[in-house]
């Protein structure tokens, strides 16, 4: 039974390591826990790249990418729009052109991504 966008469900399982701003698709089964109620017991998960501007912003500003906080996430989005993740894959020369990001920081950001 899928959870609709905006819905909330508890997901439990071994090795689940997601951070704020990350999205994932889970495989598993629904279980009823006596103490906590209905939960989804995940047997595996696949991270999903964020698709919306806000999702991308949350991901960039989540702390997972070294050198990027909220201000830098906004600057990257303003410069590259929804294609910012593809730009990070291309390398630091493009990223270094963003206001407030020098060559060393751009390298850090791209390597961390």
């Amino acid at each position: 039974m899928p959870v609709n966008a905006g819905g909330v469900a508890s997901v439990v399982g071994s090795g689940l390591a997601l951070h704020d701003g990350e999205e994932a698709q889970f495989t598993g089964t629904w279980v009823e826990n006596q103490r906590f109620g209905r939960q989804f017991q995940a047997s595996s998960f696949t991270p999903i790249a964020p698709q919306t501007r806000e999702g991308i912003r949350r991901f960039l500003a989540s702390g997972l990418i070294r050198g990027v906080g909220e201000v830098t996430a906004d600057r990257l989005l303003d410069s590259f729009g929804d294609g910012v993740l593809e730009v990070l894959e291309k390398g630091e020369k493009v990223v270094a052109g963003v206001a407030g990001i020098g060559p060393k920081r751009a390298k850090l950001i791209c390597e961390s991504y």
Side-chain angles (χ1 to χ4, degrees):
M1 172 192 252
V3 175
N4 295 330
V8 177
S10 294
V11 179
V12 296
S14 299
L16 300 177
L18 294 175
H19 296 85
D20 188 32
E22 286 187 290
E23 296 181 26
Q25 181 174 354
F26 297 94
T27 303
T29 58
W30 288 100
V31 296
E32 192 68 33
N33 181 289
Q34 287 183 347
R35 182 172 177 193
F36 299 108
R38 186 179 166 112
Q39 298 177 327
F40 190 79
Q41 178 70 47
S43 56
S44 66
F45 74 98
T46 304
I48 299 173
Q51 302 296 314
T52 65
R53 184 175 180 92
E54 183 55 31
I56 294 168
R57 185 188 178 289
R58 278 194 323 267
F59 172 71
L60 291 172
S62 69
L64 290 172
I65 302 173
R66 293 179 59 204
V68 179
E70 291 184 16
V71 172
T72 303
D74 287 336
R75 287 180 181 168
L76 288 167
L77 276 165
D78 289 344
S79 296
F80 304 116
D82 295 349
V84 67
L85 300 179
E86 289 81 16
V87 171
L88 294 180
E89 291 177 7
K90 292 180 182 176
E92 65 262 16
K93 290 182 182 179
V94 178
V95 176
V98 175
I101 301 177
K104 288 182 183 179
R105 188 166 174 206
K107 182 177 181 179
L108 173 71
I109 291 169
C110 292
E111 287 177 352
S112 179
Y113 175 72

